[in-house]
Amino acid sequence: MKLILKEYLTSLKERGDLDKALLPNLLSAMGLQVLKTPMIGTRQDGVDISAVGQLPDDDQKYLYLLCVKAGDVGRNDWDAGPQSVRPELQEILDVYIGSKISKEHQDLPIKICFCMGGELKETVEGNWAGFTQKNATSEVSFELWNGDRLAGFMEKSLMARELLDEAARRHFQKALSMVNEPEACYEYTKSFVAIVLPPEEMKDKERLLRLRQAYICLHVICVWAIEAKSLDVVYRISELGLLFCWDAMREQP
């Protein structure tokens, strides 16, 4: 499952996919409160997403500031213009931390997380290490969230065996393998969604988790179908997801 998720993450675009479709939902599922998501036409000051809370591996509550990039990050992505990684990280330090943090969160320690769907290439590992060592303080630390780590987060928070039924997992994987066969892909996806979103009463927390599972898994299938140029699958799966999710969200009689 983790290899499937890593391949999916690598294929995502920064705008609209990784930073808006996936990460906010993933952070919420991990127990964080998402404070900010990307907005078109507004100044980001280096921060695409901000969240507050405590992850299972952390020793305390943090303010997380995420700088998000798609795919692999190499030398040309590090410092080739104002939208490159280093200027954006510097802007977080110079502008965002000094003027954009709300009063209620100003006393929290900060983690600046550099997120990418792929990997940090060897050619810029030294740049990243040098930048973080120079700018880390007792109140500001840095973390690298590459595709492997994000896939691990997804597997633990959304796809864990105790959360995602084995039958649902099996139908999901079969749907992915059949994206070139629209009818078969549709049937496997329908079986998967029917298991994840059964027509029964659920507590709000359980319903929200299952909706996130369905949303992300359906997005994975659609991304793979787009790459395979199987647009009929994208259309039908999107319609299927909309109907099932609406039924799960509506007021029960």
Side-chain angles (χ1 to χ4, degrees), residues 157-160 162-165 172 192 196-197 206-219:
S157 299
L158 292 169
M159 312 296 178
E162 60 269 22
L163 297 176
L164 192 61
D165 184 273
F172 170 61
F192 160 76
V196 175
L197 296 174
E206 173 71 10
R207 184 185 294 111
L208 183 58
L209 174 61
R210 287 175 174 268
L211 284 167
R212 287 193 178 114
Q213 288 175 331
Y215 174 81
I216 289 179
C217 286
L218 289 171
H219 196 264

Side-chain angles (χ1 to χ4, degrees), residues 15 36 39 42-49 65-67 82-83 87-101 112:
R15 286 286 174 257
K36 171 187 180 296
M39 296 183 66
T42 61
R43 179 168 173 169
Q44 305 294 328
D45 295 316
V47 175
D48 294 298
I49 302 169
L65 305 179
L66 277 61
C67 176
Q83 300 301 314
E88 291 197 356
L89 293 175
Q90 192 65 54
E91 204 167 16
I92 296 175
L93 295 169
D94 294 342
V95 182
Y96 195 93
I97 291 178
S99 63
K100 295 296 182 69
I101 297 175
I112 298 175

Side-chain angles (χ1 to χ4, degrees), residues 74-234:
R75 182 170 293 277
N76 290 336
D77 306 299
W78 178 257
D79 197 9
Q83 300 301 314
S84 299
V85 176
R86 193 199 63 78
E88 291 197 356
L89 293 175
Q90 192 65 54
E91 204 167 16
I92 296 175
L93 295 169
D94 294 342
V95 182
Y96 195 93
I97 291 178
S99 63
K100 295 296 182 69
I101 297 175
S102 65
K103 190 173 182 179
E104 64 179 307
H105 300 131
Q106 287 179 356
D107 293 333
L108 290 175
I110 296 169
K111 278 194 178 184
I112 298 175
C113 304
F114 177 27
C115 305
M116 67 200 76
E119 300 297 327
L120 185 68
K121 292 185 178 179
E122 186 178 356
T123 53
V124 290
E125 286 179 351
N127 301 75
W128 166 252
F131 184 91
T132 56
Q133 289 172 14
K134 178 181 177 182
N135 292 287
T137 67
S138 60
E139 295 299 321
V140 178
S141 58
F142 293 84
E143 286 190 354
L144 181 67
W145 290 5
N146 59 12
D148 185 73
R149 189 164 188 186
L150 291 178
F153 286 155
M154 292 175 69
E155 199 170 34
K156 288 180 181 179
S157 299
L158 292 169
M159 312 296 178
R161 292 188 181 276
E162 60 269 22
L163 297 176
L164 192 61
D165 184 273
E166 184 61 36
R169 185 185 298 266
R170 186 168 60 252
H171 287 302
F172 170 61
Q173 292 174 331
K174 286 182 177 179
L176 285 175
S177 68
M178 300 298 287
V179 290
N180 285 312
E181 299 290 337
E183 199 59 43
C185 182
Y186 178 84
E187 291 301 324
Y188 283 126
T189 303
K190 185 177 180 181
S191 299
F192 160 76
V193 182
I195 295 171
V196 175
L197 296 174
E200 60 188 42
E201 294 260 359
M202 288 181 281
K203 293 182 178 179
D204 288 345
K205 188 174 181 180
E206 173 71 10
R207 184 185 294 111
L208 183 58
L209 174 61
R210 287 175 174 268
L211 284 167
R212 287 193 178 114
Q213 288 175 331
Y215 174 81
I216 289 179
C217 286
L218 289 171
H219 196 264
V220 173
I221 297 170
C222 285
V223 168
W224 281 39
I226 290 170
E227 289 191 345
K229 296 185 176 6
S230 188
L231 299 184
D232 186 53
V233 167
V234 178

